[in-house]
Amino acid sequence: MCGIVGFTTQKSLSADTLRNDIQTMNQTLTHRGPDSDDLWLDAEAGIALGHRRLAIVDLSPAGRQPMVSQCGRWVMCYNGETYSQAELKPILSRHNIPLRGHSDTEVMLESCALLGVHKALEHFIGMFAFALWDRHDRVLYLVRDRLGIKPLYWTHQSQTLFFASELKALTAHKDIATTTDRKAVTSYLNHGYIPAPHSIYENIYKLPQGHILTYRPGAEPVIEPYWTLESVIKAGKKDLSPEQAVEGLHELLKDTVGRRLMADVPLGAFLSGGIDSSLVVSLMQSQSTQPVKTFTIGFDQKKYNEADHARAIAQHLGTDHTELFVTTRQAQAVIPKLPTLYDEPFADASQIPTFLVAELARQHVTVALSGDGGDESFGGYNRHAFGKKIQPWLPLIQRLGSLLPKNCPLPFMKQGEKIANILKSKSQKQLYDVLLSQWPDPSLLVSGIQTYDDNLWPQDALMPDLVDKMRYMDTMRYLADDVLVKVDRATMGVSLEARVPLLDHRVVTWAWQQPYTFYQGKTKWLLRQILKKYVPENLFEHPKMGFSVPIGDWLRGDLNEWANALLSEASLKETFEPKLILQAWQNHQKGQSSHSQQLWNILMFQAWQQAARV
């Protein structure tokens, strides 16, 4: 797990200039790789690569990057972890390619050298964002893993192609322009994050998940997918009995978790007490001869506290469990770090407890497994259950909605505005957007500028079922651009590697090709059946809890002064039309209604903008 950075330029630059520029960029990523700092450059070809290493597998110098292939043609710098060495090493051996160490980097690099980039990608299992330079043809390849677990930003400016794991490394270079993209701002207001391929800056992009960028200096970058979830879905469902589906997934999960126990440093897991993390820990403990180290944080407020559930699971499984009850002061102390941790506006409030549990785990381990990805693949969100119930009634709901007056907020009902918008939804896509939107019409806040339309919503011919469409969108958008961003920045911010076995692409494929996503009235039915083999049902069958903090209460209390300063009319006018924001703030302070998520969205933008000026 590391940080990568680099550029290739058509300008004629000396080796000293290349080295100084790449070193400046590389130093911004020290938190991603505190163990070593290495560079590789070729002044004649105009390329410089930088790498910050968090050593996990093969701690020797043989695992350091950027790494040159044994044939001398290829150079790789890579962030992530792959788990397919057992399949690839025999292939390399048959071609008489000896390995100098036992790092996954070397196996990946030599596989690319032997098979070619596209063919080698078919064999890679895991999470990765890497750059591969072909010294012979002078071609740069940038690759991001299938689900977007690891980040990769790029920009083509000033006759140069730049890339980095985080925005801060790009903006450290003097030649990169950073103009705020106002259309990205409206997309952020709607989602609470900026969807790929966009970033907060014009002309700086995120490489989409499952894509490869090919760049030949002097030409435009070419971006193409090498794996798509759509192709998985088009393959259709398997003809399986419920028992076959459970057993097949169980065996696959044992393999995916087992592969992710590979490490030359201490390893543990996050444990919330929910289905996904409990299943991951159960599978870890079943394959370990020692108690697995597990970590959770708790809060005094019962609504936000999962520590009791996690403790009960840990005691049953016999893990070495560590929990920390976080005070309001400790949680709020994270907030000033968020703008520089995320580099662009990001408003998922669970970013705070995620950072705290990562910080706790890093005191004991260097790697932690996480249960992220189960909800998206196996239909675990409350909106999935809601979609299942509401789909047969959509025509009637749409007829009722057409009778409502325009802008009718149903003030006599809790969440009346959202309910009114649900009733007025004219399509499945509009219904989904209403369920997830934070500011329903952000163009009212940013001078009539519309959000980016990614055209991801699937066609009925591919996915007639509403819940399948929701799961697809959640995987392609919410998972990649919210959940995984949150986990990556929080863990890397404390130099901790997070591994996500439920996002092994083979598990995601299985999830979409079996017919039991909803079965016997249960969400995540398959995962529940497997977890029952390890843990009594009464320990995990409880209402789903979000991993969050009481932002609404804090904004009325200890955070009120901080929020007031950021939400002053003069400050807001720099970017927004302030009327609706100030109205929401006043209503929230009076306790007339809760606008905590909408306000957190604005506050995180304002805090980011303030930090970006420094």
Side-chain angles (χ1 to χ4, degrees), residues 501-548:
L502 298 183
L503 288 177
D504 187 305
H505 74 279
R506 300 168 302 156
V507 174
V508 175
T509 298
W510 183 274
W512 279 94
Q513 293 183 349
Q514 54 73 37
Y516 302 104
T517 300
F518 279 89
Y519 191 61
Q520 297 178 346
K522 291 284 190 179
T523 60
K524 294 201 283 196
W525 181 81
L526 285 172
L527 299 184
R528 292 173 194 269
Q529 301 311 301
I530 298 170
L531 184 54
K532 281 196 301 185
K533 299 175 185 291
Y534 299 94
V535 175
E537 283 185 80
N538 66 295
L539 294 187
F540 66 83
E541 287 291 4
H542 48 75
K544 185 176 179 64
M545 297 178 68
F547 190 45
S548 195

Side-chain angles (χ1 to χ4, degrees), residues 300-364:
D300 291 333
Q301 298 96 325
K302 186 175 181 180
K303 180 180 178 182
Y304 300 94
N305 182 42
E306 294 184 287
D308 294 345
H309 298 310
R311 189 184 312 118
I313 297 287
Q315 288 174 348
H316 178 79
L317 294 173
T319 71
D320 179 4
H321 191 57
T322 301
E323 65 181 32
L324 171 68
F325 271 77
V326 177
T327 66
T328 298
R329 184 181 297 275
Q330 285 174 301
Q332 291 176 2
V334 176
I335 293 172
K337 303 174 184 177
L338 297 177
T340 51
L341 192 66
Y342 288 88
D343 284 341
E344 59 182 353
F346 185 78
D348 183 336
S350 64
Q351 61 200 137
I352 297 171
T354 303
F355 179 86
L356 289 167
V357 75
E359 190 175 50
L360 172 66
R362 187 62 179 93
Q363 297 171 26
H364 305 270

